Amino acid sequence: MIQTPYYLIDKSKLQINMEKIARLRELSGAKALLALKCFATWGVFDFMADYMDGTTSSSLNEVRLGRERFGKETHAYSVAYADHEIDEVVSHADKIIFNSISQLTRFSDQSSGIIRGLRLNPGVSSSTFDLADPARPFSRLGEWDLKKVEPVMEMISGFMIHNNCENGDFALFDRMLGDIEQKFGPLLKKAEWVSLGGGIHFTGADYPLEQFAERLKRFSGEYDVQVYLEPGEASITKSTTLEVTVLDTLYNGKNLAIVDSSIEAHMLDLLIYRESAKIEPNTGGHRTMICGKSCLAGDIFGEFDFPAEVKIGDRISVQDAAGYTMVKKNWFNGVQMPSIAIRELDGSIRTVREFDYADFEHSLS
């Protein structure tokens, strides 16, 4: 058995998402780019590349990783590029999407050899959490004013519009796309391509994939543009677990179990958004709070129901541990970094990455 903690990517579960993405591409004509900000574990990129068109990034490091490890079409985006990195970004990208007119004009010479785009902010989003709302008041994410964009249209050929966030509601997506068309229609008519970003949970079990495809196809035809999507969570949802072991149990008014992992270090996105982890089936008569081993008082995975008393040495699988999780893992408290393992389609499991003290030491100075 592999020593816990470790992330386990199950290719058979990943394939379910990949096949839905491939089906959407076929029905709609849209292209799908993996959003590396959500998931960048390149050990499965060769598998995903059979179903997707390339990658999109949020930094120099991500665009380089996309080019070198995924291949295919490589989009570069960043909220802001620095002078010392722009040339290398351009060297790795097929398209570069600027967040502002200021950055577009500042780096016009360096980016003149590749396709350029601009991020638009429609002022509406599906987010219910201010921290993740790209259309929040005073947002820095993209240009809002159509009149300011029109004079630079000769410098760009397309747009990126990312305003969905954990949106599993097709009707809401449809309404917001209508808002985008109403606000930016004149600009869209002049574009050759439009990326509608990520945050759309179209690989969910009950999502109306055919309706979604028809809407994308209609949008593409109306404006004569190539549509791109940037699925992150939709690409890898429910594909990965964090495997942990119970190290100790306590009772302090509630049953507590401490595991050899940490939400602060290994599932940081849950801590940031104050969400509970997922453990299945979460049924039974033994309710227990699963706690991380770091010194952070709030290092709690959540409270769950188990069919039997949780004991030292028990193994627990924390579900949905890929999106915005593996990319955020860190060395807080020096807690052992989870290894990365892959379950192949034939059921065999192989470890593809292990971390040791040298990795911890070298992450500092």
PDB file of all heavy atoms in Angstrom, residues 277-296:
ATOM      1  N   ALA A 277     -15.144  19.338   3.564  1.00  0.00           N
ATOM      2  CA  ALA A 277     -14.703  18.316   2.626  1.00  0.00           C
ATOM      3  C   ALA A 277     -15.841  17.328   2.368  1.00  0.00           C
ATOM      4  O   ALA A 277     -16.899  17.392   3.013  1.00  0.00           O
ATOM      5  CB  ALA A 277     -13.480  17.597   3.179  1.00  0.00           C
ATOM      6  N   LYS A 278     -15.629  16.411   1.431  1.00  0.00           N
ATOM      7  CA  LYS A 278     -16.635  15.403   1.108  1.00  0.00           C
ATOM      8  C   LYS A 278     -16.066  14.023   1.406  1.00  0.00           C
ATOM      9  O   LYS A 278     -14.968  13.685   0.951  1.00  0.00           O
ATOM     10  CB  LYS A 278     -17.015  15.479  -0.379  1.00  0.00           C
ATOM     11  CG  LYS A 278     -17.575  16.832  -0.811  1.00  0.00           C
ATOM     12  CD  LYS A 278     -17.765  16.868  -2.319  1.00  0.00           C
ATOM     13  CE  LYS A 278     -18.197  18.249  -2.795  1.00  0.00           C
ATOM     14  NZ  LYS A 278     -18.262  18.332  -4.276  1.00  0.00           N
ATOM     15  N   ILE A 279     -16.807  13.258   2.167  1.00  0.00           N
ATOM     16  CA  ILE A 279     -16.460  11.870   2.426  1.00  0.00           C
ATOM     17  C   ILE A 279     -17.696  11.035   2.155  1.00  0.00           C
ATOM     18  O   ILE A 279     -18.787  11.362   2.615  1.00  0.00           O
ATOM     19  CB  ILE A 279     -15.973  11.674   3.878  1.00  0.00           C
ATOM     20  CG1 ILE A 279     -14.638  12.407   4.088  1.00  0.00           C
ATOM     21  CG2 ILE A 279     -15.822  10.192   4.194  1.00  0.00           C
ATOM     22  CD1 ILE A 279     -14.099  12.323   5.504  1.00  0.00           C
ATOM     23  N   GLU A 280     -17.542   9.997   1.363  1.00  0.00           N
ATOM     24  CA  GLU A 280     -18.680   9.156   0.996  1.00  0.00           C
ATOM     25  C   GLU A 280     -18.535   7.768   1.623  1.00  0.00           C
ATOM     26  O   GLU A 280     -17.412   7.282   1.802  1.00  0.00           O
ATOM     27  CB  GLU A 280     -18.771   9.054  -0.531  1.00  0.00           C
ATOM     28  CG  GLU A 280     -19.061  10.408  -1.192  1.00  0.00           C
ATOM     29  CD  GLU A 280     -19.076  10.314  -2.714  1.00  0.00           C
ATOM     30  OE1 GLU A 280     -18.712   9.235  -3.254  1.00  0.00           O
ATOM     31  OE2 GLU A 280     -19.422  11.311  -3.355  1.00  0.00           O
ATOM     32  N   PRO A 281     -19.649   7.115   2.022  1.00  0.00           N
ATOM     33  CA  PRO A 281     -21.039   7.531   1.800  1.00  0.00           C
ATOM     34  C   PRO A 281     -21.579   8.504   2.841  1.00  0.00           C
ATOM     35  O   PRO A 281     -22.681   8.997   2.698  1.00  0.00           O
ATOM     36  CB  PRO A 281     -21.795   6.206   1.842  1.00  0.00           C
ATOM     37  CG  PRO A 281     -20.992   5.368   2.785  1.00  0.00           C
ATOM     38  CD  PRO A 281     -19.557   5.738   2.552  1.00  0.00           C
ATOM     39  N   ASN A 282     -20.840   8.777   3.919  1.00  0.00           N
ATOM     40  CA  ASN A 282     -21.282   9.738   4.945  1.00  0.00           C
ATOM     41  C   ASN A 282     -22.621   9.312   5.548  1.00  0.00           C
ATOM     42  O   ASN A 282     -23.543  10.100   5.684  1.00  0.00           O
ATOM     43  CB  ASN A 282     -21.367  11.152   4.358  1.00  0.00           C
ATOM     44  CG  ASN A 282     -21.452  12.235   5.439  1.00  0.00           C
ATOM     45  OD1 ASN A 282     -21.153  11.984   6.597  1.00  0.00           O
ATOM     46  ND2 ASN A 282     -21.869  13.429   5.054  1.00  0.00           N
ATOM     47  N   THR A 283     -22.685   8.056   5.915  1.00  0.00           N
ATOM     48  CA  THR A 283     -23.876   7.506   6.576  1.00  0.00           C
ATOM     49  C   THR A 283     -23.438   6.584   7.708  1.00  0.00           C
ATOM     50  O   THR A 283     -22.352   5.985   7.655  1.00  0.00           O
ATOM     51  CB  THR A 283     -24.756   6.703   5.596  1.00  0.00           C
ATOM     52  OG1 THR A 283     -23.971   5.646   5.017  1.00  0.00           O
ATOM     53  CG2 THR A 283     -25.301   7.595   4.493  1.00  0.00           C
ATOM     54  N   GLY A 284     -24.270   6.473   8.712  1.00  0.00           N
ATOM     55  CA  GLY A 284     -23.979   5.591   9.832  1.00  0.00           C
ATOM     56  C   GLY A 284     -24.204   6.299  11.155  1.00  0.00           C
ATOM     57  O   GLY A 284     -24.501   7.490  11.206  1.00  0.00           O
ATOM     58  N   GLY A 285     -24.024   5.567  12.241  1.00  0.00           N
ATOM     59  CA  GLY A 285     -24.353   6.089  13.556  1.00  0.00           C
ATOM     60  C   GLY A 285     -23.190   6.653  14.345  1.00  0.00           C
ATOM     61  O   GLY A 285     -23.338   6.945  15.532  1.00  0.00           O
ATOM     62  N   HIS A 286     -22.035   6.800  13.727  1.00  0.00           N
ATOM     63  CA  HIS A 286     -20.850   7.264  14.450  1.00  0.00           C
ATOM     64  C   HIS A 286     -20.352   8.573  13.836  1.00  0.00           C
ATOM     65  O   HIS A 286     -19.535   8.583  12.919  1.00  0.00           O
ATOM     66  CB  HIS A 286     -19.756   6.193  14.416  1.00  0.00           C
ATOM     67  CG  HIS A 286     -20.151   4.923  15.086  1.00  0.00           C
ATOM     68  ND1 HIS A 286     -19.902   4.664  16.418  1.00  0.00           N
ATOM     69  CD2 HIS A 286     -20.812   3.825  14.607  1.00  0.00           C
ATOM     70  CE1 HIS A 286     -20.374   3.475  16.733  1.00  0.00           C
ATOM     71  NE2 HIS A 286     -20.929   2.935  15.653  1.00  0.00           N
ATOM     72  N   ARG A 287     -20.889   9.662  14.363  1.00  0.00           N
ATOM     73  CA  ARG A 287     -20.516  10.983  13.837  1.00  0.00           C
ATOM     74  C   ARG A 287     -19.165  11.399  14.422  1.00  0.00           C
ATOM     75  O   ARG A 287     -18.956  11.367  15.641  1.00  0.00           O
ATOM     76  CB  ARG A 287     -21.583  12.019  14.163  1.00  0.00           C
ATOM     77  CG  ARG A 287     -21.360  13.342  13.436  1.00  0.00           C
ATOM     78  CD  ARG A 287     -22.643  14.144  13.330  1.00  0.00           C
ATOM     79  NE  ARG A 287     -22.499  15.331  12.512  1.00  0.00           N
ATOM     80  CZ  ARG A 287     -22.543  15.348  11.178  1.00  0.00           C
ATOM     81  NH1 ARG A 287     -22.708  14.210  10.522  1.00  0.00           N
ATOM     82  NH2 ARG A 287     -22.428  16.474  10.515  1.00  0.00           N
ATOM     83  N   THR A 288     -18.264  11.816  13.538  1.00  0.00           N
ATOM     84  CA  THR A 288     -16.898  12.136  13.942  1.00  0.00           C
ATOM     85  C   THR A 288     -16.406  13.363  13.188  1.00  0.00           C
ATOM     86  O   THR A 288     -16.653  13.502  11.985  1.00  0.00           O
ATOM     87  CB  THR A 288     -15.951  10.949  13.655  1.00  0.00           C
ATOM     88  OG1 THR A 288     -16.466   9.778  14.297  1.00  0.00           O
ATOM     89  CG2 THR A 288     -14.550  11.238  14.159  1.00  0.00           C
ATOM     90  N   MET A 289     -15.720  14.235  13.908  1.00  0.00           N
ATOM     91  CA  MET A 289     -15.070  15.374  13.274  1.00  0.00           C
ATOM     92  C   MET A 289     -13.677  14.944  12.818  1.00  0.00           C
ATOM     93  O   MET A 289     -12.874  14.476  13.625  1.00  0.00           O
ATOM     94  CB  MET A 289     -14.963  16.550  14.249  1.00  0.00           C
ATOM     95  CG  MET A 289     -14.278  17.780  13.668  1.00  0.00           C
ATOM     96  SD  MET A 289     -14.088  19.115  14.899  1.00  0.00           S
ATOM     97  CE  MET A 289     -15.810  19.577  15.129  1.00  0.00           C
ATOM     98  N   ILE A 290     -13.418  15.101  11.525  1.00  0.00           N
ATOM     99  CA  ILE A 290     -12.115  14.749  10.971  1.00  0.00           C
ATOM    100  C   ILE A 290     -11.243  16.005  10.981  1.00  0.00           C
ATOM    101  O   ILE A 290     -11.620  17.036  10.415  1.00  0.00           O
ATOM    102  CB  ILE A 290     -12.242  14.181   9.548  1.00  0.00           C
ATOM    103  CG1 ILE A 290     -13.165  12.964   9.551  1.00  0.00           C
ATOM    104  CG2 ILE A 290     -10.869  13.818   8.997  1.00  0.00           C
ATOM    105  CD1 ILE A 290     -12.714  11.823  10.441  1.00  0.00           C
ATOM    106  N   CYS A 291     -10.104  15.903  11.633  1.00  0.00           N
ATOM    107  CA  CYS A 291      -9.247  17.060  11.875  1.00  0.00           C
ATOM    108  C   CYS A 291      -7.878  16.866  11.233  1.00  0.00           C
ATOM    109  O   CYS A 291      -7.337  15.755  11.199  1.00  0.00           O
ATOM    110  CB  CYS A 291      -9.053  17.266  13.373  1.00  0.00           C
ATOM    111  SG  CYS A 291     -10.570  17.273  14.342  1.00  0.00           S
ATOM    112  N   GLY A 292      -7.307  17.968  10.763  1.00  0.00           N
ATOM    113  CA  GLY A 292      -5.953  17.944  10.240  1.00  0.00           C
ATOM    114  C   GLY A 292      -4.927  17.965  11.353  1.00  0.00           C
ATOM    115  O   GLY A 292      -5.237  18.238  12.518  1.00  0.00           O
ATOM    116  N   LYS A 293      -3.667  17.696  10.982  1.00  0.00           N
ATOM    117  CA  LYS A 293      -2.620  17.578  11.993  1.00  0.00           C
ATOM    118  C   LYS A 293      -1.805  18.853  12.177  1.00  0.00           C
ATOM    119  O   LYS A 293      -0.852  18.878  12.961  1.00  0.00           O
ATOM    120  CB  LYS A 293      -1.691  16.409  11.653  1.00  0.00           C
ATOM    121  CG  LYS A 293      -0.870  16.583  10.379  1.00  0.00           C
ATOM    122  CD  LYS A 293       0.116  15.423  10.187  1.00  0.00           C
ATOM    123  CE  LYS A 293       1.199  15.455  11.239  1.00  0.00           C
ATOM    124  NZ  LYS A 293       2.211  14.381  11.028  1.00  0.00           N
ATOM    125  N   SER A 294      -2.133  19.928  11.463  1.00  0.00           N
ATOM    126  CA  SER A 294      -1.370  21.161  11.631  1.00  0.00           C
ATOM    127  C   SER A 294      -1.781  21.863  12.920  1.00  0.00           C
ATOM    128  O   SER A 294      -2.766  21.499  13.569  1.00  0.00           O
ATOM    129  CB  SER A 294      -1.592  22.101  10.439  1.00  0.00           C
ATOM    130  OG  SER A 294      -2.795  22.833  10.587  1.00  0.00           O
ATOM    131  N   CYS A 295      -1.048  22.916  13.268  1.00  0.00           N
ATOM    132  CA  CYS A 295      -1.338  23.640  14.503  1.00  0.00           C
ATOM    133  C   CYS A 295      -2.455  24.670  14.334  1.00  0.00           C
ATOM    134  O   CYS A 295      -2.857  25.308  15.303  1.00  0.00           O
ATOM    135  CB  CYS A 295      -0.076  24.342  15.003  1.00  0.00           C
ATOM    136  SG  CYS A 295       0.513  25.659  13.916  1.00  0.00           S
ATOM    137  N   LEU A 296      -2.976  24.839  13.118  1.00  0.00           N
ATOM    138  CA  LEU A 296      -4.075  25.769  12.903  1.00  0.00           C
ATOM    139  C   LEU A 296      -5.333  25.241  13.588  1.00  0.00           C
ATOM    140  O   LEU A 296      -5.792  24.133  13.300  1.00  0.00           O
ATOM    141  CB  LEU A 296      -4.335  25.950  11.408  1.00  0.00           C
ATOM    142  CG  LEU A 296      -5.463  26.914  11.041  1.00  0.00           C
ATOM    143  CD1 LEU A 296      -5.053  28.352  11.336  1.00  0.00           C
ATOM    144  CD2 LEU A 296      -5.846  26.760   9.570  1.00  0.00           C
TER     145      LEU A 296
END
